[in-house]
């Protein structure tokens, strides 16, 4: 639309986005698409507050989004915030639980090791179909291969950050301590250096209360609560 753009990639995973933006920038007039690197607390803050920037679009966590909004307020910028999601899938009583449906559910929950804002984060299943679905879903997850991100045979890799890994492990252990049932699935490839990376097997948790933290908060990890209704 004729607007110049400055993109600040996330510090945890900047390389793929920067490479893609470089290709796009080469197809545009000089200066139309720009990339700056750095931490959100410094570079992101400066961009959000700068008087020459008229609009900000931010994807990230809620606390960082609050800071972006506050930094943009003095100059009355247009601000769009995408602060995660907690998307639900619902399996009705008359659902056809086919191999294709299970495959799509596995992809919808485990893509990028669960680190996608619009991935399915929780599954509600009609209680008459609950055991059938869980068993078939676990069978599907058992075909997922966890390995090094550059291993062509691997479907998913490790989590991106230490904080994300620790939070995912905490959510699972808290659920287990509250009496939930935890099922781990998937195949570990030889390329997965399990002790050196933030690797986690696809994990299904049942027997949770509807208001359990794993149900109501975005986990951003390969951990899926499944609840009956």
């Amino acid at each position: 639309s004729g607007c110049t753009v400055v993109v600040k990639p996330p510090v945890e995973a900047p390389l793929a986005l920067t490479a893609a933006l470089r290709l796009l920038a080469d197809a545009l007039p000089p200066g139309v698409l720009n990339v700056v690197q750095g931490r959100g607390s410094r570079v992101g803050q400066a961009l959000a507050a700068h008087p020459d920037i008229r609009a900000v679009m931010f994807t990230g966590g809620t606390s960082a989004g609050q800071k972006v909004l506050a930094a943009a307020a003095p100059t009355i910028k247009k601000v769009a915030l995408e602060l995660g999601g907690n998307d639900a899938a619902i399996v009705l009583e008359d659902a056809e639980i086919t191999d294709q449906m299970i495959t799509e559910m596995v992809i919808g929950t485990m893509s990028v090791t669960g680190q996608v804002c619009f991935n399915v984060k929780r599954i509600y299943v009609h209680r008459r179909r609950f055991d059938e679905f869980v068993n078939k879903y676990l069978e599907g997850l058992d075909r997922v291969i966890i390995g090094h991100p550059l291993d062509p045979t691997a479907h998913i890799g490790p989590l991106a950050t230490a904080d994300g890994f620790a939070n995912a492990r905490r959510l699972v252990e808290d659920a287990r301590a509250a009496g939930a049932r935890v099922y781990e699935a998937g195949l570990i490839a030889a390329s997965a250096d399990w002790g050196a990376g933030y690797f986690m097997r696809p994990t299904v948790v049942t027997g949770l209360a509807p208001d359990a933290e794993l149900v109501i908060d975005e986990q951003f990890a390969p951990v899926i609560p499944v609840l009956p209704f």
Side-chain angles (χ1 to χ4, degrees):
S1 59
C3 298
T4 56
V5 176
V6 180
V7 179
K8 191 206 80 63
V11 293
E12 297 86 0
L15 299 182
L17 179 56
T18 300
L21 291 168
R22 188 185 304 278
L23 293 173
L24 182 56
D26 288 343
L28 296 169
V32 171
L33 178 59
N34 311 275
V35 180
V36 295
Q37 307 286 355
R39 295 202 169 274
S41 58
R42 297 191 64 185
V43 175
Q45 183 81 6
L47 287 169
H50 199 285
D52 288 342
I53 290 178
R54 298 175 61 190
V56 177
M57 297 184 68
F58 171 76
T59 300
T62 301
S63 60
Q66 291 171 334
K67 294 173 183 176
V68 168
L69 197 60
T75 48
I76 317 295
K77 302 183 196 305
K78 296 179 180 179
V79 178
L81 303 175
E82 198 286 281
L83 305 180
N86 195 19
D87 310 76
I90 302 174
V91 180
L92 301 177
E93 184 178 9
D94 62 351
E96 297 182 8
I97 304 177
T98 62
D99 289 343
Q100 181 182 356
M101 182 264 223
I102 292 297
T103 296
E104 292 178 359
M105 193 71 80
V106 169
I107 293 170
T109 53
M110 295 296 155
S111 294
V112 198
T113 321
Q115 300 166 113
V116 178
C117 55
F118 50 81
N119 269 6
V120 172
K121 304 298 196 319
R122 51 201 169 118
I123 304 174
Y124 295 93
V125 183
H126 192 282
R127 62 182 67 256
R128 292 183 181 173
R129 309 297 300 281
F130 187 80
D131 291 341
E132 176 191 1
F133 173 82
V134 170
N135 290 334
K136 290 186 176 180
Y137 181 51
L138 284 169
E139 289 175 4
L141 291 176
D142 266 332
R143 295 190 288 270
V144 174
I145 300 172
I146 310 104
H148 190 284
L150 298 181
D151 179 353
T153 69
H155 298 119
I156 63 174
L159 290 162
T161 69
D163 287 346
F165 178 69
N167 185 61
R169 294 289 299 271
R170 180 189 63 81
L171 287 170
V172 171
E173 292 310 313
D174 286 354
R176 196 195 307 270
R181 292 175 291 280
V182 177
Y183 306 90
E184 293 186 348
L187 303 170
I188 301 173
S191 63
D193 190 350
W194 210 260
Y198 306 130
F199 288 99
M200 191 170 190
R201 295 174 67 185
T203 303
V204 174
V205 182
T206 66
L208 284 163
D211 59 350
E213 185 179 3
L214 179 57
V215 178
I216 62 175
D217 286 347
E218 181 183 32
Q219 66 277 58
F220 219 60
V223 182
I224 301 297
V226 184
L227 296 93
F229 71 91

